[in-house]
Amino acid sequence: GSMASIAPARLLLKFKVDVDRPMRFMKHLQRAKFDGSPWLSIHSWEELLRRGAVKLENSTKNKSPPASLRLTANTTVSVELPETFSANGIAMPPADQLVIGAPLFMSKRLFAFNKPAGIHTIAQHPWENDCLVNYIAAYLQSQGIMDVKAFAALSKPPLIEGGLLQRLDLDTSGLVVGALDVLAKEAMRECFRQKRIEKTYLAVTETMVPNPPPREHTLRCFLWGSSKESRDGALQEPKHKPADGSRVESVEVRTKVLQRAGNMNLVQVTTSHGARHVVRCALQLMGTPILGDKLYHPVPSNKAPRMLLHASSITVPQVVDSNGEEVVSERVFEAGVPKDFAKALKACRFDADLVRVAATSDGGSVESV
C-alpha cells in the first residue's frame, strides 16, 4: 500500500499513489500507513476530508477532493494532520490534565479504572486525546508500567482501544477493565464472549407504565440485526421473535429494585451480555427507562445532570491464558459511584448511604497484586 512520511514540525503527511489502475480516492487513503500501521479508519479519513485537510499536489482547489474521485499512479497526496495526531494510535493528553484517578486494581496482567461520565472510552481518531484510553495510556507510561506504543499495539489498527476490554457510553460512569499483554486480553475476551463474566450496574429509572415489573425481575428477550439496527427497539419479548433468517441472540437481564421514591426507582441491573445499549434497551422495554437517557427516554429532568447509569461491579471467574498461565483469580471488581450520581440520588429522595461513593482522588480503593 501507499507508505506515508510525516514531518513532525508541520504535521504534514505526504504519500504518492503507487497503483497502476485508477482507484477511488478513499481506497488510496485507506492504503496509507504510518510507521507501517494503518492508523486512520474510514471514519477518520472522512473527518479529515470534511475539514478540507486532504489535498492533491498542484491542485488549485482549496477543498478536499471527493472520496469518489479516481486517481492514477504517481499522484501526490498531502494531508494536514491535527497537532495531537499520534502515529502510535493513542495520543497523549495534556500534561496537566488527568481526569481519571488511580486504578482500582493493578496486577502484572490486568487493571481496572473508574471511568468518569462525560468522556468516551476509546478514541475514534488518532488525534483525540481526551478519552479514557488516552488517560490510561498516559498513566501506565508515567508509572513505568508500559509505554504508550506497547499499549496501543494491544489493539489491531485502526482500532484505538489499547488493552481495554469494555466500552461504556459517554454519559455512563463506572468500572472498565483492561489487559496488559496480548494473551491476557485474548483470554479475557473469550471469557466475555462465553458470557462467563457478570456485569452489574446501578440505574435511576422512571416508571412510565401502570404495572411496572416486580422488585426482582428477569427479562428474557431477543437481540437481532446489525449494530445500526440495535440502537433502538432491537430487544423484543419472546413473542416478538423475528422471522427465520435474521441473526438472533437471546438476552437475559436481571433487575432488582433497591429503593423506590414515588415513580423513581434505584435499580441494580445484572447481565453477562455485552451488546450495545443492552441495559438501556432492556429498562426501556420494561417500561422503566433510565432518567436522563436522551435516546431512550428523552424527557428533561432537573434531577438528572446526565444519564444516571453507573457500572458498579464485574464478577470474573478464574481465567487462564492459552499457555495455561493464570490471568486473574476469581474475584469481584467494584467501583463506587461518583459524586454527581450520589447528588442525583439525594435529589430523587433516595437514601444515598446505601451505595458506596467513590473517593475524590482515586475513584475507590486501590488494590495492587
Side-chain angles (χ1 to χ4, degrees), residues 203-209 212 263-267 283-284 286-292 297 299-301 303:
V204 175
T205 67
E206 185 172 9
T207 301
M208 304 297 291
V209 291
N263 65 336
M264 299 293 176
N265 314 285
L266 175 59
V267 184
L283 290 170
Q284 181 204 41
M286 291 164 57
T288 55
I290 301 172
L291 201 65
H297 188 44
V299 178
S301 172
K303 298 176 182 177

Side-chain angles (χ1 to χ4, degrees), residues 100-102 358-364:
I100 61 170
T360 304
S361 59
D362 59 20

Side-chain angles (χ1 to χ4, degrees), residues 84-327:
T84 52
F85 173 82
S86 170
N88 295 325
I90 299 180
M92 287 291 91
D96 59 344
Q97 185 177 346
L98 191 63
V99 302
I100 61 170
L104 300 170
F105 173 85
M106 181 69 68
S107 71
K108 291 181 179 179
R109 309 197 70 181
L110 283 186
F111 60 79
F113 281 87
N114 196 350
K115 172 192 169 297
I119 64 170
H120 290 287
T121 306
I122 69 170
Q124 297 298 312
H125 310 295
W127 55 82
E128 289 182 343
N129 65 348
D130 59 349
C131 304
L132 182 67
V133 68
N134 306 107
Y135 296 115
I136 290 177
Y139 177 85
L140 295 175
Q141 183 162 280
S142 70
Q143 299 299 307
I145 297 169
M146 176 179 282
D147 68 53
V148 62
K149 193 167 185 177
F151 186 64
L154 292 176
S155 60
K156 185 178 179 181
L159 188 62
I160 309 172
E161 67 176 16
L164 293 183
L165 291 158
Q166 309 153 259
R167 299 184 197 183
L168 296 179
D169 292 326
L170 175 69
D171 279 344
T172 303
S173 57
L175 192 66
V176 174
V177 298
L180 292 169
D181 64 78
V182 172
L183 291 182
K185 187 176 181 182
E186 289 175 351
M188 290 294 290
R189 277 267 190 249
E190 185 59 27
C191 207
F192 274 107
R193 275 193 290 267
Q194 294 176 357
K195 298 180 177 58
R196 296 173 57 211
I197 295 177
E198 234 180 32
K199 294 166 287 184
T200 300
Y201 300 80
L202 288 174
V204 175
T205 67
E206 185 172 9
T207 301
M208 304 297 291
V209 291
N211 298 307
R215 283 190 176 270
E216 294 192 30
H217 180 65
T218 299
L219 176 69
R220 293 182 179 88
C221 48
F222 294 101
L223 174 72
W224 75 91
S226 67
S227 59
K228 287 184 179 178
E229 292 168 334
S230 67
R231 280 182 62 85
D232 192 7
L235 295 181
Q236 292 290 340
E237 298 281 12
K239 63 182 179 181
H240 293 132
K241 183 176 178 178
D244 292 341
S246 300
R247 183 179 65 81
V248 181
E249 189 173 352
S250 61
V251 175
E252 183 176 294
V253 177
R254 302 191 306 278
T255 59
K256 181 180 180 180
V257 178
L258 303 179
Q259 293 183 60
R260 283 198 171 119
N263 65 336
M264 299 293 176
N265 314 285
L266 175 59
V267 184
Q268 183 184 75
V269 186
T270 305
T271 185
S272 58
H273 205 286
R276 185 184 186 193
H277 296 184
V278 64
V279 171
R280 297 165 63 184
C281 272
L283 290 170
Q284 181 204 41
L285 189 61
M286 291 164 57
T288 55
I290 301 172
L291 201 65
D293 189 336
K294 295 177 183 177
L295 180 61
Y296 299 103
H297 188 44
V299 178
S301 172
N302 56 11
K303 298 176 182 177
R306 45 102 170 177
M307 179 173 64
L308 295 179
L309 180 64
H310 175 77
S312 56
S313 70
I314 294 177
T315 303
V316 181
Q318 183 189 37
V319 180
V320 296
D321 65 22
S322 56
N323 289 336
E325 298 289 330
E326 185 178 79
V327 175

